[in-house]
Amino acid sequence: MTGTATVVRTSRDDPPAPPRDGARLRSGALILLVQIVLLAALLTAWEWQTRLSPQSAFLFGSPSAIGRFLWQGLADGTLLRDAGVTALETGLGFLIGNIVGTLAGLSLWYSTFVSRVVQPFIVAIGSIPIIALAPIIIIWFGTGLASKVAMSTLSVVVVALVTSYKGALGVDPDQINLLRTLGARKPQIFAKLVVPSSLADIFAGLKLTVGFALIGAIVGEFMSSSVGLGHAIFQAGSLYAIPKVFAALVGTIALALVLTFLVGRAERLLMPWRYHL
């Protein structure tokens, strides 16, 4: 009786089995279907309202007009050109900002004294609105690609630093003490424990900074640019071409989704234990 009770109790304590592939596919298909229905309902209501009111059509555009601008931009290549330029600026700023910020944040784990010294400077830099730095960045880096990459990098680096440092501080002290008792030195603890344990926070920061990198590039294009999605949005807005503004915004959203997808794939490759494969 005792052995049976023990078996029953152990089976109850076991974690639930991961869902089967068929169930996950059905769940994913249902979620996608609901998302499509919601989007279709929103676009239908939007189109219907703009057809009823000319004022609404002027202020908000219409899905059909936005679709025409999207098709025109794809046909003549202007949308792809603008998206490519913004993607390059965003990608470079995203990579540089996250590499520098992550390395700096993880390095602060080595010294509590240094981290306390630099903390107010990090807070001060992070509190500056990125648009306030735009004139200075243009003076320093000019009006070309470098200024947009710099704006994107500055939008990312503080967030990456804070999230990676938070991940490093969250490492279990008992595990650190265990490695020390086994004779591990600080660089070994850092490489074998701190960095792997911080990956979850680092990737959370990567997903967050996709939007920040894109914002930095777009703001840079607002200030000085002759090409890019930010330039297209600014130019269309100055001409009150609201559907064209939304068409450029659709391109911006698509770019953000692609970058987020790539970060998610990288997370799956580097942290496969977080997913049921």
Side-chain angles (χ1 to χ4, degrees):
M1 293 296 291
T2 305
T4 304
T6 302
V7 170
V8 172
R9 184 171 60 252
T10 304
S11 64
R12 288 179 179 177
D13 292 339
D14 288 338
R20 298 189 179 186
D21 291 340
R24 284 187 292 181
L25 288 175
R26 288 192 296 271
S27 176
L30 178 60
I31 291 173
L32 179 61
L33 178 61
V34 173
Q35 291 172 338
I36 292 174
V37 169
L38 289 175
L39 180 60
L42 173 63
L43 293 177
T44 301
W46 187 358
E47 182 72 27
W48 177 72
Q49 179 61 31
T50 54
R51 288 182 182 272
L52 288 180
S53 171
Q55 183 179 5
S56 296
F58 173 76
L59 292 175
F60 304 106
S62 66
S64 58
I66 295 169
R68 287 194 296 270
F69 276 108
L70 283 172
W71 178 256
Q72 179 183 350
L74 292 173
D76 60 20
T78 56
L79 182 60
L80 294 178
R81 180 199 62 190
D82 290 337
V85 171
T86 304
L88 176 61
E89 298 163 353
T90 302
L92 290 175
F94 177 81
L95 289 175
I96 296 171
N98 275 293
I99 290 172
V100 173
T102 299
L103 291 177
L106 292 176
S107 299
L108 289 177
W109 174 83
Y110 268 89
S111 174
T112 304
F113 175 76
V114 174
S115 66
R116 290 180 177 178
V117 169
V118 302
Q119 184 176 359
F121 299 100
I122 295 172
V123 173
I125 295 173
S127 64
I128 300 174
I130 190 62
I131 195 171
L133 296 174
I136 301 175
I137 296 299
I138 292 173
I139 294 172
W140 288 348
F141 295 96
T143 58
L145 175 66
S147 62
K148 282 73 173 178
V149 174
M151 291 284 291
S152 182
T153 300
L154 289 175
S155 300
V156 166
V157 65
V158 174
V159 179
L161 189 155
V162 171
T163 53
S164 59
Y165 180 56
K166 174 180 175 293
L169 288 182
V171 178
D172 190 352
D174 293 335
Q175 294 181 351
I176 295 176
N177 292 331
L178 176 61
L179 289 181
R180 284 174 177 166
T181 58
L182 295 175
R185 292 176 296 178
K186 202 164 189 177
Q188 294 173 316
I189 296 174
F190 179 78
K192 300 293 185 180
L193 178 61
V194 175
V195 173
S197 299
S198 304
L199 283 178
D201 290 280
I202 291 173
F203 273 103
L206 288 174
K207 293 176 181 177
L208 182 63
T209 53
V210 166
F212 284 100
L214 191 55
I215 290 172
I218 293 292
V219 169
E221 292 173 351
F222 278 175
M223 299 301 295
S224 64
S225 179
S226 59
V227 67
L229 293 172
H231 170 73
I233 293 171
F234 179 79
Q235 186 179 49
S238 62
L239 298 174
Y240 299 98
I242 303 302
K244 193 171 183 179
V245 172
F246 276 110
L249 287 175
V250 170
T252 305
I253 293 170
L255 179 58
L257 291 176
V258 170
L259 292 175
T260 303
F261 172 78
L262 293 177
V263 171
R265 296 306 301 174
E267 183 179 15
R268 282 179 174 271
L269 289 175
L270 295 176
M271 303 179 65
W273 59 86
R274 296 192 68 191
Y275 300 90
H276 300 298
L277 301 178

